[in-house]
Amino acid sequence: MTQTQHGAGAGADDPKPDPRRVSGWSTLVELIALCGLVVTQPLLDVIGRSPDFFFFHGAGPAAVLALVAVIVLVPPVLLWGLGWLIGLAGPAVRRWTHLIVLGGLTVLLMVQIAKALIDVRGPLLVLLAAVAATVLLAGYVRSTVARQVLRVAAVGPLAFVSLFVFASPSSAVLLGRETSGAPVRSIGPHPPVVVIILDEFPLVSLLDERGEIDAGLVPNFAQLAAGSTWYRNATTVSGKTVNAVPAMLTGRYPTGELTPHYSQHPDNLFTLLGPAYQVEAWENVTQLCPPQHCRGRPGQDRGSLPVMLRETAALYGQLISPDDSLDDPAASFREPTVADDIRANDKSPDAGPGFRMSRLKENQPARFTEFLGSLRPRDTPTLHFLHLLMPHSPWTYLPSGMRYDGPGGLPYDGPWWARLTHQRHLQQVGYTDLLVGEALRTLRANGLYDDALIVVTSDHGGSFSEGVAGREMDDQFAAAAELAWVPLFVKEPGQQAGRIDDRNWEQVDLLPTVADHAGVQVPWRTDGISALRGERETTDKRFDPRPGEPVTIDGPVHFAAVRAGSSARPVFPPLPAADLIGVAVDDLTVVDTGPPATVTNLSEYQDVRAERGKIPALVHGTLPESVPVGASVAVALNGQVGTVVQAARDGAGQLRFVGLIPDERLFVAGANRLELFLVVDAEHAGDGPTATAPTLRRLPTTG
């Protein structure tokens, strides 16, 4: 009788059906299931298709598995633990906490699904996702079957992990096996070989308006050309590093979506030279050198997990954003500096010029510094290989090596944004030239330069022209000169004088050419042609926007544009009032104060310390709506105009200004005075004899 009354009482006091009797383990199972759909599947899908993410961070199997374990286990366990703690307040609180957590996860799931199905974005998308989540949660509360289905779905994470480990492109990191490659036969002497592959580097960025190497911008490249063979008609075969670099190092065109790993490309430069050469290789977003030839750096795997966790968290933020903000994971790759590697920023500041130069050394990419340390004579022939993400985005360097920070997510579309992107790129090209010069000086100082085969090139280019910015499929015709043509300099052993070779070179020619110079016979079929054995009869270019789906680029037409220089470089409309740069504010006419503008990074100008290796060279903020789109804004630093920018809307429709102040001399130690001026009558400004000085209207700045 008592048991019956108790059961009846329970049914009378609580809503029906009642999920409150779900055990603690059942709630964990449900959270595992839902987190699998909301977190595990989307993240493992993206990083599973991006093995370069792991190669770049130097992650081995242990770090990869640790990252997967965190993705799979931490979210549901943390949420379950939080619910358990809150549930100590009572069963009702525990039940409602669990429902709220399930509801929040369901909203995130609906956002991701809706982004794939409909074009709605922003707050409206969140509202629609919340409505759908509410309906699903109501079904969970009312239906025992729904709850059982959710618990059965807890097997999902196991399936997602299995696909990642055994079937994704990233599985090569975990399952790769050493391969001996084809047998190799030596056919001659083995000189030292130095190969430097740069990244996202269009040839036209080296050229002046006459089509010659711009010695003012890149003096070290000009010096390199003066003592090497410049293959001026060299082109990449792909706009993606993961396809372009394997093509260069195997001598074969891309044929499929193969992971850039030695298990997928067993016949490559490292396995070719490995039997006769000692290999010192610093790869980047590939791992073509097998462990039998490249044993890895001491502690390479150590420290990669925290960095990958930060990157993965940022990626997940993009996945669940109600806006279209998902980028290629490789787009955010930044070369770790020496300071990053040794935590040099913890040192006490010193204002001396000697200290500043040492800090600029710390700004060097750590990978480059290690590479320089390997450039010394050896008792055995040595291959020194470096793939460096320079001048690849993100653009954060001035030509001196001074670094600056900038806001992420800046648009490329529009004349101002394209101009700014190209300006920042050229500044980083200047720094890349500095690094190349340091490598050449090290080779000379260590006695390797004269006898070595030295190759300096890039995996692919990139377009900075308005409307076709990037390096993807649609750019190969609209901006082929920027995308396909890349720098290629080959200094042969003993070569003293420079020469230009305009043969139809494609980057699959690199491996057979290096092999001939290195005195090694290539035992596999290549698509490339050694420069020592012949050249192509055709003049057209092959480009694979997708591996195995080549298109043809008209070689002579685009190469003629490259040789002309100015016709191949990005062209932007004249910037009104550009002649104000470098002029003192006191020499200009300043009238009444205008509406206030917000400088997002204003605080950075209050304590500038160049000895730290970083200055706020990029100024950015928002403008009041009363400022016309396209209006010129002069940015003055310590009483002198450092840059002129244009008011432009970003992808979210916000009126912004972003400008680069490349002249480091304008910065002083400590507090700096930053001023903004709206340029009035800028159309009358210019640099001709009839030009008139524009009037400036001061814009008060707030942080």
Side-chain angles (χ1 to χ4, degrees):
M1 181 66 176
T2 302
Q3 291 178 346
T4 303
Q5 289 176 343
H6 178 75
D13 293 341
D14 296 298
K16 185 179 181 180
D18 180 8
R20 72 178 182 178
R21 292 191 176 88
V22 174
S23 69
W25 290 113
S26 296
T27 61
L28 178 59
V29 169
E30 292 177 359
L31 289 173
I32 289 174
L34 200 48
C35 285
L37 296 171
V38 177
V39 181
T40 304
Q41 190 280 329
L43 279 178
L44 293 187
D45 177 61
V46 174
I47 65 176
R49 289 183 280 108
S50 306
D52 45 338
F53 175 77
F54 300 110
F55 298 151
F56 177 77
H57 292 297
V64 175
L65 291 176
L67 177 66
V68 172
V70 170
I71 291 173
V72 173
L73 299 176
V74 169
V77 171
L78 280 180
L79 292 173
W80 179 77
L82 177 64
W84 180 83
L85 287 174
I86 296 176
L88 294 177
V93 174
R94 183 182 303 116
R95 177 181 60 188
W96 284 106
T97 299
H98 185 60
L99 290 176
I100 291 171
V101 170
L102 292 182
L105 290 173
T106 307
V107 170
L108 297 180
L109 178 61
M110 291 298 102
V111 166
Q112 296 178 62
I113 293 175
K115 286 171 68 175
L117 297 178
I118 61 178
D119 294 330
V120 176
R121 295 294 184 269
L124 181 57
L125 177 62
V126 176
L127 178 61
L128 294 176
V131 171
T134 301
V135 173
L136 292 174
L137 192 62
Y140 165 87
V141 172
R142 294 177 177 276
S143 171
T144 302
V145 174
R147 294 195 291 277
Q148 291 174 342
V149 169
L150 179 60
R151 293 166 197 168
V152 171
V155 301
L158 180 61
F160 305 145
V161 171
S162 297
L163 289 173
F164 174 85
V165 171
F166 297 107
S168 75
S170 293
S171 64
V173 183
L174 301 169
L175 304 177
R177 297 288 184 267
E178 292 192 24
T179 174
S180 59
V184 176
R185 185 167 68 90
S186 295
I187 57 175
H190 304 310
V193 176
V194 180
V195 178
I196 300 176
I197 297 179
L198 303 169
D199 206 295
E200 199 175 72
F201 198 163
L203 171 62
V204 294
S205 294
L206 293 179
L207 307 182
D208 59 21
E209 294 182 352
R210 299 170 296 175
E212 299 175 357
I213 295 177
D214 189 342
L217 174 67
V218 286
N220 293 299
F221 273 102
Q223 183 185 59
L224 174 62
S228 67
T229 302
W230 174 18
Y231 290 92
R232 189 165 51 177
N233 195 16
T235 52
T236 184
V237 298
S238 175
K240 293 184 177 180
T241 299
V242 294
N243 299 322
V245 171
M248 297 166 70
L249 299 189
T250 64
R252 294 169 172 165
Y253 292 117
T255 57
E257 294 290 351
L258 299 178
T259 302
H261 189 266
Y262 57 82
S263 63
Q264 306 276 310
H265 300 277
D267 299 326
N268 62 61
L269 177 66
F270 305 112
T271 58
L272 177 68
L273 298 191
Y277 277 73
Q278 178 180 340
V279 179
E280 295 284 350
W282 280 263
E283 294 186 78
N284 205 314
V285 293
T286 63
Q287 194 174 328
L288 297 178
C289 190
Q292 68 204 56
H293 298 305
C294 298
R295 294 294 174 184
R297 308 296 161 196
Q300 181 181 35
D301 210 30
R302 186 174 64 249
S304 61
L305 181 58
V307 176
M308 290 194 300
L309 286 172
R310 290 197 300 270
E311 294 287 339
T312 303
L315 171 63
Y316 189 65
Q318 297 180 41
L319 287 170
I320 62 175
S321 169
D323 298 309
D324 288 323
S325 57
L326 182 59
D327 298 321
D328 179 353
S332 64
F333 289 169
R334 178 184 71 82
E335 287 282 1
T337 65
V338 174
D340 294 332
D341 244 21
I342 65 176
R343 302 296 182 265
N345 288 326
D346 293 335
K347 293 181 179 179
S348 58
D350 175 15
F355 181 87
R356 173 177 173 178
M357 291 310 297
S358 69
R359 184 54 60 111
L360 290 182
K361 288 287 187 182
E362 291 172 3
N363 276 347
Q364 278 187 173
R367 199 187 316 265
F368 178 75
T369 301
E370 293 176 346
F371 170 74
L372 287 185
S374 76
L375 298 178
R376 61 183 185 274
R378 309 290 179 100
D379 294 333
T380 58
T382 303
L383 165 63
H384 304 270
F385 178 89
L386 172 69
H387 177 201
L388 191 69
L389 279 180
M390 285 288 171
H392 191 284
S393 62
W395 304 286
T396 60
Y397 283 96
L398 298 178
S400 68
M402 188 68 70
R403 290 177 60 203
Y404 63 89
D405 291 327
L410 293 179
Y412 293 88
D413 296 332
W416 169 252
W417 298 116
R419 178 198 296 273
L420 175 66
T421 298
H422 187 242
Q423 180 190 19
R424 296 178 66 189
H425 161 74
L426 288 181
Q427 293 290 309
Q428 197 142 301
V429 165
Y431 178 55
T432 305
D433 176 75
L434 190 69
L435 298 179
V436 168
E438 189 163 348
L440 296 177
R441 283 189 293 273
T442 301
L443 287 167
R444 288 191 174 95
N446 292 347
L448 286 175
Y449 182 86
D450 290 338
D451 296 333
L453 171 70
I454 302 172
V455 178
V456 179
T457 187
S458 177
D459 59 347
H460 58 76
S463 171
F464 294 90
S465 297
E466 181 188 356
V468 289
R471 50 189 171 90
E472 298 301 333
M473 180 179 178
D474 293 338
D475 302 328
Q476 80 269 9
F477 298 118
E482 294 177 85
L483 176 68
W485 271 259
V486 294
L488 174 63
F489 302 91
V490 178
K491 203 286 295 181
E492 301 176 5
Q495 183 174 358
Q496 299 293 326
R499 64 188 182 93
I500 297 176
D501 191 322
D502 284 342
R503 75 179 65 204
N504 182 12
W505 174 291
E506 295 183 357
Q507 285 291 48
V508 289
D509 301 337
L510 184 66
L511 177 114
T513 301
V514 170
D516 275 353
H517 280 295
V520 175
Q521 186 178 57
V522 182
W524 63 84
R525 181 195 60 80
T526 67
D527 298 311
I529 302 173
S530 169
L532 301 185
R533 296 176 181 268
E535 56 185 277
R536 286 181 176 76
E537 298 178 357
T538 61
T539 57
D540 288 337
K541 300 286 190 174
R542 169 168 169 160
F543 184 87
D544 285 55
R546 288 184 295 271
E549 300 180 20
V551 297
T552 300
I553 294 177
D554 189 324
V557 168
H558 293 291
F559 182 47
V562 170
R563 294 185 62 177
S566 58
S567 61
R569 299 183 70 170
V571 178
F572 306 105
L575 179 63
D579 58 318
L580 290 177
I581 297 175
V583 178
V585 173
D586 290 343
D587 295 334
L588 299 169
T589 302
V590 180
V591 295
D592 58 311
T593 299
T598 300
V599 180
T600 311
N601 60 333
L602 185 61
S603 61
E604 296 179 15
Y605 296 88
Q606 306 311 308
D607 186 24
V608 174
R609 301 291 177 185
E611 66 270 12
R612 297 170 181 163
K614 185 181 292 187
I615 58 175
L618 195 72
V619 58
H620 47 90
T622 58
L623 294 167
E625 288 297 323
S626 58
V627 174
V629 173
S632 296
V633 177
V635 181
L637 190 64
N638 299 313
Q640 185 172 326
V641 177
T643 187
V644 175
V645 306
Q646 284 188 300
R649 296 199 183 277
D650 61 15
Q654 192 172 34
L655 189 61
R656 301 180 65 177
F657 70 92
V658 184
L660 188 66
I661 306 174
D663 190 349
E664 299 176 36
R665 298 170 299 178
L666 298 183
F667 293 86
V668 299
N672 286 247
R673 187 172 79 258
L674 187 73
E675 300 172 282
L676 300 184
F677 301 92
L678 183 64
V679 181
V680 183
D681 297 329
E683 65 271 15
H684 299 300
D687 54 8
T690 60
T692 58
T695 299
L696 305 184
R697 176 172 295 166
R698 186 182 302 276
L699 299 176
T701 58
T702 60

